[in-house]
Amino acid sequence: MAGGGFAVNAPGSDFLGQITLSVVITCIVAASSGLLFGYDIGISGGVTTMVPFLKKFFPSILRKAAGDVDVNMYCVYDSQVLTLFTSSLYLAGLISSLVASRITAALGRRNTIMLGGSVFLAGGAINGGAENIAMLILGRILLGFGVGFTNQAAPLYLSEIAPPKWRGAFNTGFQFFLGVGVLAAGCINYGTAKHTWGWRLSLGLAVVPAAFMTVGAILITDTPSSLVERGKIDQARKALRKIRGASIDVEPELEELIKWSQVAKSVEQEPFMTIFERQYRPHLVMAFAIPFFQQLTGINIVAFYAPNLFQSVGLGHEAALLSAIILGTVNLASILISTAVVDRFGRRFLFITGGILMFVCQIAVSVLLAVVTGVHGTKDVSKGNAVLVLVLLCFYSAGFGWSWGPLTWLIPSEIFPLKIRTTGQSIAVGVQFITIFVLSQTFLSMLCHFKFGAFLFYAGWIAAMTIFVIFFLPETKGIPLESMYTIWGKHWFWRRFVKGQVDQVNLP
């Protein structure tokens, strides 16, 4: 991937290193950034079903939920202001992701994580003390800025710090902590739902994961790639020795990082312009397609609005919150499966099997709701059928947990060369946020108008994205970041874009 006429030898795969205590600790701290995103995803849906919260901010929805207003089961929570409470975070995340690339390159991965944690902490505090909708939205916007920075920096940190052989397992740590955040939020919502101040505690406790991650980030080193990129060679050498183990000679790897950093800096063009060059077409397509497709699985919509959905289809308020906990537990368990097998069976295998399972479950949920609620969604749903919906969504959540969940963070963070790595990650995060914003802002209205057809909508996208993976996503397991260009030159479709560049890199 050398540019500007440079011809460099392809880096070897000798720099494997060891799984040292330092690597484990630093990766845990960085991956804990996922707690912020996960906690927010899990907390907002539960809070919006709490009676004291609705009474204070959205009394009209409370009247519909209580049956005082004649409305079909799909339309109880259809409110643009309510969805703005959820989706405003992702609009703010989109805005912050546009500048996060430069900040991550200039300040480093670790410092960007610290910045994001600090802003997130402020947002959580404001939400916990909110007295009006304006305060709620302001808090959510600050949460969005924090998540935008951490989602940019943490996956890059994990991919750059981990030994290539175990990069997939380490990177899934971000999604694991995201899953922990979702589950913790569900448990907290369940425990606080009966109290008049419960929603304040649920929203305010966002400061806990933010404080944990921010303090932890102070104690870890930045990645060698980031340090070299900023000219801090001695610090990069110390970081490599710390994370690779005392018995490993780090000089060859350091020299390789310096070489690729010099190649990156030799290109005068702006990274945002460079990434649009023909030779980086496959990278750019993946930066758009992977996060876009992830959101069109419908998983975050299910996570946001699971309590609303289960309450609508016949489960009581407490049972609906408990169902969200069950979904979170299943998702977390499936992420552990992904961690165990992603570097053994590869990324494509998990994408394809997860896609097939999600597709089947979405079709089944749609058919079940169509049969038991009627075309117009006016028939009552029995507790048995409501539980069956929950079971199907559990299988769906499991399929997501071992595929599109963790791999959406892994693929963009590992396929880009150093000179456009932060730019590529920024694009991927931005695409994810704008897609989440649009979907979260429109889902409750779509559910109201499409009814059971909303699940068919997502099933169609899952089929499309699974086909995309089969034909267009090459396997990346076990390949060092600096050697990643080889996968495109061997791919039946992408080699037409990168062939000249690969030949140039392989010149003696």
Side-chain angles (χ1 to χ4, degrees):
M1 292 180 182
F6 276 76
V8 291
N9 294 326
S13 57
D14 303 327
F15 318 131
L16 300 182
Q18 304 169 350
I19 298 182
T20 62
L21 179 62
S22 178
V23 166
V24 173
I25 292 174
T26 55
C27 285
I28 287 176
V29 171
S32 68
S33 301
L35 280 171
L36 277 61
F37 198 22
Y39 188 85
D40 175 77
I41 290 172
I43 212 71
S44 56
V47 165
T48 54
T49 65
M50 294 183 183
V51 173
F53 179 83
L54 293 174
K55 185 176 181 180
K56 184 174 180 63
F57 298 108
F58 304 98
S60 62
I61 293 176
L62 190 60
R63 289 193 294 271
K64 286 194 291 185
D68 296 341
V69 179
D70 186 22
V71 63
N72 77 59
M73 56 157 275
Y74 292 107
C75 299
V76 171
Y77 293 94
D78 182 18
S79 165
Q80 288 301 301
V81 180
L82 179 65
T83 51
L84 182 62
F85 165 71
T86 298
S87 62
S88 57
L89 181 148
Y90 304 101
L91 183 59
L94 169 64
I95 295 171
S96 66
S97 70
L98 297 178
V99 299
S101 171
R102 292 183 180 277
I103 292 176
T104 307
L107 300 182
R109 286 48 161 160
R110 186 197 69 163
N111 292 336
T112 304
I113 291 173
M114 291 171 56
L115 174 62
S118 301
V119 176
F120 191 94
L121 195 152
I126 291 174
N127 266 353
E131 289 296 333
N132 50 56
I133 291 178
M135 287 186 70
L136 280 179
I137 301 301
L138 174 61
R140 296 288 292 179
I141 289 173
L142 290 176
L143 293 177
F145 285 142
V147 169
F149 289 131
T150 54
N151 284 11
Q152 159 79 9
L156 287 181
Y157 187 102
L158 292 166
S159 284
E160 291 181 349
I161 210 84
K165 185 178 180 181
W166 298 284
R167 186 174 60 245
F170 276 99
N171 199 284
T172 58
F174 183 85
Q175 182 70 21
F176 173 79
F177 276 100
L178 194 155
V180 170
V182 171
L183 181 57
C187 293
I188 290 169
N189 279 338
Y190 184 74
T192 62
K194 294 181 179 179
H195 303 281
T196 56
W197 44 262
W199 65 269
R200 291 192 183 276
L201 183 61
S202 291
L203 294 177
L205 281 177
V207 303
V208 175
F212 170 81
M213 185 209 67
T214 305
V215 173
I218 297 174
L219 306 177
I220 62 175
T221 182
D222 208 341
T223 69
S225 294
S226 178
L227 291 167
V228 168
E229 186 180 24
R230 292 179 287 140
K232 300 181 178 183
I233 306 302
D234 288 339
Q235 292 184 36
R237 182 179 288 107
K238 292 177 182 177
L240 275 173
R241 287 173 179 165
K242 189 174 183 180
I243 63 177
R244 295 296 184 241
S247 62
I248 300 295
D249 179 13
V250 300
E251 290 302 320
E253 183 173 1
L254 180 62
E255 291 175 4
E256 201 70 39
L257 290 174
I258 294 172
K259 179 193 300 180
W260 285 97
S261 179
Q262 290 172 343
V263 169
K265 291 178 180 178
S266 70
V267 181
E268 298 292 336
Q269 197 174 32
E270 279 285 314
F272 269 104
M273 297 300 296
T274 302
I275 200 170
F276 284 95
E277 293 178 1
R278 179 180 173 83
Q279 66 203 36
Y280 301 119
R281 192 67 47 78
H283 310 73
L284 185 62
V285 169
M286 295 303 164
F288 275 94
I290 298 297
F292 176 73
F293 281 147
Q294 186 210 40
Q295 292 311 310
L296 283 167
T297 62
I299 187 63
N300 281 336
I301 301 305
V302 171
F304 292 152
Y305 301 117
N308 312 62
L309 177 63
F310 289 128
Q311 195 165 340
S312 295
V313 299
L315 296 176
H317 175 62
E318 287 190 14
L321 291 175
L322 184 60
S323 298
I325 295 175
I326 294 171
L327 279 179
T329 303
V330 171
N331 181 63
L332 194 61
S334 62
I335 294 169
L336 291 176
I337 295 173
S338 179
T339 302
V341 303
V342 65
D343 290 314
R344 178 177 300 178
F345 295 111
R347 287 61 160 152
R348 284 168 50 83
F349 174 80
L350 296 180
F351 267 130
I352 295 168
T353 55
I356 292 172
L357 180 58
M358 287 190 292
F359 174 78
V360 171
C361 290
Q362 289 280 37
I363 293 293
V365 168
S366 181
V367 171
L368 176 63
L369 289 178
V371 171
V372 302
T373 68
V375 175
H376 300 293
T378 54
K379 296 181 181 178
D380 291 334
V381 180
S382 69
K383 286 291 190 295
N385 285 325
V387 170
L388 185 54
V389 171
L390 174 61
V391 170
L392 288 170
L393 288 180
C394 281
F395 279 106
Y396 161 84
S397 183
F400 177 87
W402 78 57
S403 61
W404 284 91
L407 298 181
T408 296
W409 302 106
L410 173 59
I411 298 298
S413 70
E414 68 180 359
I415 62 173
F416 291 99
L418 182 61
K419 64 180 175 181
I420 57 171
R421 189 169 295 160
T422 59
T423 303
Q425 182 70 9
S426 179
I427 291 174
V429 172
V431 169
Q432 185 180 59
F433 276 131
I434 194 171
T435 310
I436 296 176
F437 171 74
V438 172
L439 293 179
S440 61
Q441 188 65 29
T442 58
F443 175 71
L444 290 177
S445 290
M446 186 172 76
L447 185 64
C448 178
H449 292 90
F450 284 22
K451 303 176 178 60
F452 60 87
F455 297 94
L456 288 178
F457 171 81
Y458 290 115
W461 279 107
I462 292 170
M465 65 186 70
T466 303
I467 293 171
F468 175 84
V469 167
I470 291 172
F471 287 102
F472 296 107
L473 182 67
E475 184 56 66
T476 58
K477 70 170 183 176
I479 301 174
L481 294 181
E482 292 77 18
S483 298
M484 199 62 70
Y485 61 83
T486 59
I487 65 171
W488 309 109
K490 297 176 182 178
H491 191 272
W492 71 273
F493 181 79
W494 299 122
R495 63 188 177 193
R496 72 190 66 183
F497 297 98
V498 303
K499 186 178 186 305
Q501 188 69 13
V502 171
D503 291 341
Q504 183 187 38
V505 170
N506 284 320
L507 287 174

